[in-house]
Amino acid sequence: MSLIQHLINGELVNDSGRSADVYNPSTGQVIHQVPLASRETIQQAIDSAKAAFPAWRNTPPAKRAQVMFRFKQLLEQNEARISQLISEEHGKTLEDAAGELKRGIENVEYACSAPEILKGEYSRNVGPNIDAWSDFQPLGVVAGITPFNFPAMVPLWMYPLAIVCGNCFILKPSERDPSSTLLIAQLLQEAGLPKGVLSVVHGDKGAVDALIEAPEVKALSFVGSTPIAEYIYSEATKRGKRVQALGGAKNHAVLMPDADLDNAVSALMGAAYGSCGERCMAISVAVCVGDQVADALIAKLVPQIKALKIGAGTSCGLDMGPLVSAQARDKVSGYIEDGVSSGAELVVDGRGLSVSGHEDGFFLGGCLFDRVTPQMRIYKEEIFGPVLCIVRVNSLEAAMQLINDHEYGNGTCIFTRDGEAARLFCDEIEVGMVGVNVPLPVPVAYHSFGGWKRSLFGDLHAYGPDGVRFYTRRKAITQRWPQRASHEASQFAFPSL
Ligand code: NAD
């Protein structure tokens, strides 16, 4: 069993303080220890970032981008190694791990366009001999706190862009699956990033609180559950920091009577059960417009859920691995019991699944509930497991009302062949990311990612153009160079043309 290290000022650093167990969820065994950084360790990372900032902010954006080009190559060359580490500690399948890495690399590609995205805006002759421009300047030391469910992709939403914008970044990844995140950061060092521009410190609440309280940290990006997102947003904004805090979700898919049901079922299977339902964009509620749609959907889903290929994430050709921890599996099982006792119909029960050769793994089979109502806990709360709930309604308007009344507003989608229904849905649904016949509408890197309502605290979404805004501040410069021979008299009225 090895002790994972921090990456501070370009060096791997041991920590003699507290530590936590890292499991392989497929075997149920502890495979590593991860240090939980003390305030002193966090301060070391902050000091190294502060020291690196003056030179990095003055490094031409094209040179910063060159580091990202090399980083992209290294990530692609190391895809198998990174996917293996993700799968070993998270439990997701190797194909799924490679998929999250590819979506992360998209953000590195976007960061490669640093000279273009930082060009600023220029206006000549805004007045006599006067020119004006807006500069995008870096904030300084910024930090990111990330969840367990995308240990490669979510950190890559943050630091490539923050860094090419000229900032120095401190990453506090999830303590549950930190190895792939650390390896990826080491590859960025190998790509030529100067020491101190990126540090990775492992830890729990203590490390996060130290980042919130440090005056040197100018902005915080957070992705995780809603209670922690809200805590970080309120504590950090109180201290004058810029914050984007992305939280939990309950994503609904609406099935209209005219939907192409076979394709909708294939899409729903992947979106509800892929990654064992541990995705913030997972579909956890299917809203069927009409009983006929619900009955037909269930008839098609049940055999496919029962046929899900479930096993150790690192084996090939699987649909689903285990949940991340024994606590996560027990929490999801608790929701299943709660759903049954509150009157929902448990059509497929995935509890009690045993995977041969992996009897101690944190496995749970796919579950399906029918006749779920908005009052039930399994409808209101984020389960974050392989559980799909069917809610029956009579009209598109009722489906939309249901979604708009929910506290979360991360993602949603509609399956239909009716353009008018799709257009109404896109216009009026109170959700940040919407799919039309697309079950997981995760925006590509050159758009931005973010939910509405209690799925996001802050004004700017993650990555893409909003990410550039988040990691820079504007400076408006107005400059006059009078012609030598001219002399202008004092003007006491407010300047205008
Ligand atoms: P989590 O909130 O438990 O942890 C997220 C991060 O916060 C981790 O780095 C963790 O160490 C830290 N943390 C945990 N407790 C803390 C505390 N009390 N104070 C300060 N920091 C604390 O989330 P998770 O279980 O790792 O991830 C799953 C959650 O993340 C789900 O709710 C999921 O919907 C959400 N998520 C959201 C998005 C999105 O884009 N909206 C993306 C991925 C995951």
Side-chain angles (χ1 to χ4, degrees):
M1 198 188 333
S2 64
L3 179 66
I4 294 167
Q5 292 168 299
H6 305 296
L7 179 70
I8 298 178
N9 205 27
E11 310 290 338
L12 287 173
V13 178
N14 280 321
D15 197 317
S16 56
R18 295 184 306 131
S19 63
D21 294 335
V22 177
Y23 285 83
N24 178 337
S26 299
T27 62
Q29 303 300 310
V30 176
I31 51 172
H32 303 295
Q33 290 286 309
V34 64
L36 303 174
S38 61
R39 275 179 189 268
E40 292 68 38
T41 307
I42 295 289
Q43 194 58 48
Q44 271 178 35
I46 293 173
D47 291 345
S48 76
K50 227 177 129 185
F53 180 60
W56 185 243
R57 92 184 276 275
N58 287 320
T59 301
K63 280 218 172 286
R64 296 184 209 141
Q66 282 168 5
V67 178
M68 291 298 155
F69 277 105
R70 291 192 290 272
F71 182 38
K72 169 181 152 63
Q73 275 185 333
L74 287 171
L75 289 172
E76 286 168 347
Q77 286 162 7
N78 284 277
E79 180 189 299
R81 202 172 147 209
I82 296 168
S83 304
Q84 179 77 20
L85 287 179
I86 296 174
S87 185
E88 264 169 28
E89 293 182 357
H90 175 286
K92 65 177 73 174
T93 66
L94 287 172
E95 293 80 2
D96 195 21
E100 83 154 279
L101 179 62
K102 287 196 176 84
R103 292 304 303 263
I105 291 173
E106 269 183 20
N107 294 88
V108 180
E109 289 166 350
Y110 186 71
C112 288
S113 61
E116 172 67 25
I117 56 187
L118 295 173
K119 266 195 315 204
E121 295 154 348
Y122 185 86
S123 302
R124 185 178 151 75
N125 274 343
V126 296
N129 301 318
I130 301 176
D131 306 324
W133 71 93
S134 302
D135 222 5
F136 301 147
Q137 299 202 341
L139 305 176
V141 180
V142 300
I145 298 147
T146 52
F148 81 86
N149 66 327
F150 286 108
M153 181 182 77
V154 170
L156 290 174
W157 284 359
M158 299 177 181
Y159 64 76
L161 200 51
I163 283 174
V164 293
C165 287
N167 300 285
C168 293
F169 200 93
I170 298 171
L171 175 66
K172 206 298 289 167
S174 171
E175 63 278 35
R176 283 188 261 176
D177 50 5
S179 294
S180 61
T181 322
L182 181 63
L183 172 61
I184 291 173
Q186 287 176 278
L187 293 176
L188 183 50
Q189 291 298 143
E190 195 181 323
L193 192 74
K195 289 179 174 189
V197 177
L198 173 68
S199 287
V200 178
V201 281
H202 307 287
D204 57 4
K205 179 172 165 44
V208 173
D209 286 342
L211 289 168
I212 292 174
E213 286 161 27
E216 300 93 333
V217 175
K218 302 298 176 201
L220 276 170
S221 296
F222 171 84
V223 176
S225 60
T226 286
I228 311 297
E230 192 167 26
Y231 166 75
I232 287 175
Y233 182 77
S234 64
E235 289 301 313
T237 51
K238 217 190 279 177
R239 289 166 173 81
K241 295 191 200 311
R242 191 179 281 193
V243 186
Q244 52 180 190
L246 283 68
K250 195 82 180 175
N251 305 310
H252 300 64
V254 176
L255 283 104
M256 295 293 285
D258 65 353
D260 171 346
L261 203 58
D262 285 324
N263 276 322
V265 167
S266 301
L268 274 183
M269 285 298 299
Y273 301 106
S275 207
C276 217
E278 290 174 318
R279 291 179 182 144
C280 65
M281 291 290 275
I283 293 291
S284 50
V285 183
V287 187
C288 295
V289 178
D291 284 330
Q292 266 185 337
V293 177
D295 295 339
L297 178 70
I298 291 168
K300 286 179 186 289
L301 278 176
V302 170
Q304 295 200 32
I305 298 171
K306 289 185 173 164
L308 279 169
K309 287 182 246 133
I310 304 173
T314 45
S315 313
C316 289
L318 296 176
D319 300 321
M320 224 170 85
L323 284 153
V324 70
S325 63
Q327 294 89 321
R329 183 199 49 204
D330 296 346
K331 187 173 167 200
V332 178
S333 299
Y335 274 114
I336 296 165
E337 264 165 52
D338 190 275
V340 172
S341 60
S342 59
E345 194 180 308
L346 184 57
V347 185
V348 182
D349 184 355
R351 290 173 296 177
L353 174 79
S354 176
V355 173
S356 170
H358 291 85
E359 285 74 12
D360 294 329
F362 310 135
F363 293 99
L364 186 68
C367 301
L368 181 67
F369 274 113
D370 188 16
R371 300 192 184 277
V372 174
T373 63
Q375 297 73 34
M376 295 177 182
R377 269 186 69 218
I378 56 167
Y379 175 76
K380 289 196 278 199
E381 297 176 17
E382 183 182 44
I383 297 176
F384 223 54
V387 183
L388 181 63
C389 295
I390 294 180
V391 179
R392 296 169 179 240
V393 297
N394 292 324
S395 64
L396 174 60
E397 288 68 24
M400 289 172 60
Q401 191 63 52
L402 188 75
I403 298 169
N404 288 348
D405 286 345
H406 203 284
E407 69 166 316
Y408 294 122
N410 214 38
T412 188
C413 70
I414 184 167
F415 291 100
T416 184
R417 290 186 169 102
D418 179 346
E420 188 185 350
R423 195 161 189 275
L424 177 76
F425 189 76
C426 293
D427 277 355
E428 302 206 352
I429 209 71
E430 290 178 23
V431 173
M433 293 168 282
V434 183
V436 175
N437 299 316
V438 172
L440 294 176
V442 177
V444 288
Y446 37 97
H447 288 262
S448 297
F449 180 111
W452 285 15
K453 299 186 277 186
R454 288 175 61 75
S455 292
L456 176 101
F457 300 86
D459 302 310
L460 291 169
H461 288 194
Y463 66 76
D466 267 22
V468 178
R469 283 258 173 186
F470 185 77
Y471 292 122
T472 55
R473 54 184 170 174
R474 300 291 165 113
K475 187 175 276 178
I477 298 157
T478 307
Q479 178 174 266
R480 176 166 171 265
W481 289 108
Q483 287 169 2
R484 273 191 203 143
S486 69
H487 172 77
E488 285 167 26
S490 303
Q491 190 185 325
F492 295 95
F494 199 66
S496 65
L497 267 184

